[in-house]
Amino acid sequence: MWKVLVALIVGLLAVSPLLIGIATVGPLGGKYITENNYRHFSPYERSTVYALVNDIMLYLNRILEILITIGAFFVFIMTVLEYWKFDKMYKLEQQHHGGGKH
């Protein structure tokens, strides 16, 4: 009984900063956390203030898009090869067992 109460109190103490943060920001009527920051810029101003970061992120996104496309193509090829391998094994097994009759 005491262990459960201690665990409950410790759990509430551990989660209380999160609950306070949720209650003070976002759609509950408080301010967003970035508005309390000195470096707050509206989403429309960020691309001009952080132009270099924006360019780097666009470049990285293009590279990652190419890598993901190559990876998807590789997965497709490997899937086809695995299907072909298991189909070949199935046909050999059917020939060995006389057409599936035991």
Side-chain angles (χ1 to χ4, degrees):
M1 175 78 176
W2 288 107
K3 290 180 182 179
V4 173
L5 289 175
V6 170
L8 180 65
I9 292 171
V10 170
L12 288 175
L13 287 175
V15 178
S16 62
L18 176 65
L19 296 177
I20 292 170
I22 290 173
T24 58
V25 299
L28 298 177
K31 291 184 174 181
Y32 288 103
I33 197 164
T34 55
E35 292 177 2
N36 296 330
N37 194 341
Y38 291 115
R39 294 178 6 171
H40 170 70
F41 299 107
S42 73
Y44 303 107
E45 296 172 348
R46 284 189 192 131
S47 62
T48 58
V49 173
Y50 297 114
L52 178 63
V53 174
N54 192 32
D55 293 340
I56 291 172
M57 293 307 294
L58 288 173
Y59 178 72
L60 288 176
N61 283 339
R62 276 188 248 127
I63 291 174
L64 289 176
E65 182 180 355
I66 293 168
L67 290 176
I68 289 172
T69 305
I70 292 170
F73 183 72
F74 178 74
V75 167
F76 173 73
I77 295 296
M78 292 305 294
T79 303
V80 170
L81 290 175
E82 286 292 319
Y83 173 78
W84 178 71
K85 179 180 80 173
F86 283 110
D87 185 53
K88 186 177 174 182
M89 289 171 50
Y90 175 75
K91 288 179 182 175
L92 285 174
E93 185 177 326
Q94 290 298 318
Q95 288 175 357
H96 178 67
H97 290 295
K101 298 176 185 172
H102 294 284

